[in-house]
Amino acid sequence: MSDEVRIRAITDADWDRIAELERRTYLPLGLSEGQAALRSKAEVSPETCFVLTVGSRPGGYLVALPFPPLDYPDLYLGPTATRQPVSGFRNLHLHDLVVAPRLRRRGLAQRLLHHLTRTALARGYEQISLVAVGRSQRFWAARGFTPQPAAGTPAGYGKNAVYMSRALLAAGEPTRRPARHRAAGPCPTK
């Protein structure tokens, strides 16, 4: 098996593997939303959703969609089930970023995040937001994301959930604080 790493658009054939990765990552946290809900979020903005392949097998994925600043999608419903519209915002919400456990600590999550940042800038987004779950706030803070208390505590995302965002600069680089550590575990967002 080749270890060539690629990031590409998600295809229909990827969804069973994506659902498996999502379930393994979020079920222990009580946050697994299921394939239908996750897929409905990706369908809002397929151009900002990616799969990371190692060889020919998906080893990670990223789902991001335009969403109002200081707001976040309901985990178990499609993004338009309770909030309309989700397009037209300059905020890109990073809903999920998952890398398979066997592939972690190789910089692949960072690679997905860089790809998203370049895509967001090319599409005119001004910031990226996310909800850090499972005590991943330090991981995201090391990548320039800051807590936004005005968003409140994200309902349904677990007791340690923190809404965070990061402004994007026109020059192409996100605002960022220097990393002081490398996260030991997964970097879940929801």
Side-chain angles (χ1 to χ4, degrees):
M1 179 175 170
S2 168
D3 277 346
E4 179 186 6
V5 176
R6 289 186 36 212
I7 297 173
R8 60 170 172 75
I10 296 172
T11 66
D12 287 340
D14 296 322
W15 279 105
D16 286 342
R17 176 65 176 152
I18 288 171
E20 176 187 341
L21 288 168
E22 190 270 350
R23 187 174 48 256
R24 286 185 179 181
T25 300
Y26 296 112
L27 192 60
L29 299 172
L31 299 174
S32 181
E33 63 191 294
Q35 182 173 337
L38 185 61
R39 193 170 183 165
S40 72
K41 291 171 181 76
E43 288 170 351
V44 169
S45 183
E47 64 278 359
T48 58
C49 299
F50 310 103
V51 67
L52 178 135
T53 60
V54 178
S56 61
R57 183 168 166 82
Y61 72 93
L62 181 150
V63 171
L65 66 156
F67 223 77
L70 304 176
D71 201 358
Y72 40 87
D74 184 290
L75 282 185
Y76 306 105
L77 300 175
T80 60
T82 57
R83 298 172 174 97
Q84 292 271 349
V86 295
S87 61
F89 295 103
R90 295 284 149 224
N91 178 64
L92 186 63
H93 188 78
L94 172 50
H95 180 69
D96 260 6
L97 189 158
V98 172
V99 174
R102 68 181 176 78
L103 298 173
R104 291 183 185 148
R105 296 187 168 271
R106 293 174 54 179
L108 299 176
Q110 186 71 28
R111 205 161 156 179
L112 276 165
L113 185 58
H114 282 307
H115 189 82
L116 179 66
T117 300
R118 286 190 306 274
T119 301
L121 286 163
R123 296 192 171 279
Y125 290 100
E126 296 172 359
Q127 73 175 13
I128 297 174
S129 64
L130 58 86
V131 176
V133 299
R135 300 184 188 273
S136 63
Q137 182 178 349
R138 287 180 56 193
F139 175 88
W140 294 108
R143 280 138 191 91
F145 288 85
T146 57
Q148 301 299 318
T153 302
Y157 282 71
K159 71 177 190 171
N160 296 310
V162 177
Y163 183 95
M164 304 176 80
S165 68
R166 177 181 82 182
L168 300 174
L169 299 176
E173 286 298 313
T175 57
R176 179 180 167 155
R177 286 186 272 182
R180 289 190 266 267
H181 64 85
R182 188 167 182 153
C187 53
T189 65
K190 266 299 187 187

